Amino acid sequence: MSRFDENKFRAVTWVQRHIANPLTRRLPFQTVLETTGRKSGLPRRTPVGGRRIGREFWLVSEYGEKSQYVRNIQADPRVRVRIMGKWHTGTAHLVPEDDARARLKSLPRLNSAAVRAVGTNLLTVRVDLTD
């Protein structure tokens, strides 16, 4: 990662962690991914943009394996996703072979534009929903 990308990563993640995420995860219509903290074991809720397609939920991580929720998935792939106010359990899978830029074209426009604008290492994530 270049120095510019590293600085952008730090700035964007600070804003997300301290301002955007605490506000948006409380919105009832916001999609939220809940992982288990790999160190704490506590639930960690992250607002995400993605789309349910059948029994799968697809999203793209803007920072790939540097994203905390991706690192949590690597430690424990059992997750919950709040879609339209309803919680669903599932198992998350990292899909590095997927074309993340092409995937963004099938996901909600506003979030996809933001991910393209700030992302430096895009990674597709698929959640197989069990309920």
Side-chain angles (χ1 to χ4, degrees):
M1 188 180 281
S2 73
R3 184 177 174 102
F4 173 78
D5 287 344
E6 183 64 32
N7 288 338
K8 183 165 80 167
F9 168 78
R10 287 179 190 212
V12 170
T13 55
W14 188 91
V15 170
Q16 288 173 333
R17 185 174 296 133
H18 298 288
I19 300 169
N21 290 359
L23 294 173
T24 58
R25 75 174 147 239
R26 289 179 172 82
L27 300 173
F29 56 83
Q30 174 66 52
T31 302
V32 175
L33 175 69
E34 182 181 84
T35 60
T36 301
R38 64 192 176 282
K39 295 178 184 178
S40 68
L42 298 173
R44 299 296 182 200
R45 292 183 175 176
T46 305
V48 295
R51 175 163 285 140
R52 183 179 182 158
I53 302 171
R55 300 203 40 86
E56 299 172 335
F57 181 81
W58 292 85
L59 67 125
V60 174
S61 167
E62 60 217 346
Y63 294 113
E65 294 184 9
K66 278 193 89 168
S67 294
Q68 297 301 316
Y69 69 87
V70 170
R71 295 171 74 189
N72 290 341
I73 288 169
Q74 289 174 317
D76 183 354
R78 295 172 296 172
V79 300
R80 292 192 322 148
V81 184
R82 187 180 74 192
I83 306 167
M84 301 297 286
K86 183 177 182 222
W87 285 100
H88 304 271
T89 59
T91 304
H93 305 274
L94 306 182
V95 191
E97 65 275 9
D98 189 65
D99 182 345
R101 289 205 176 274
R103 177 70 56 190
L104 285 171
K105 293 177 183 175
S106 70
L107 301 179
R109 283 188 191 167
L110 183 60
N111 182 77
S112 293
V115 169
R116 276 192 295 275
V118 301
T120 57
N121 187 24
L122 305 182
L123 175 65
T124 300
V125 179
R126 182 189 79 235
V127 178
D128 295 334
L129 302 171
T130 56
D131 64 352

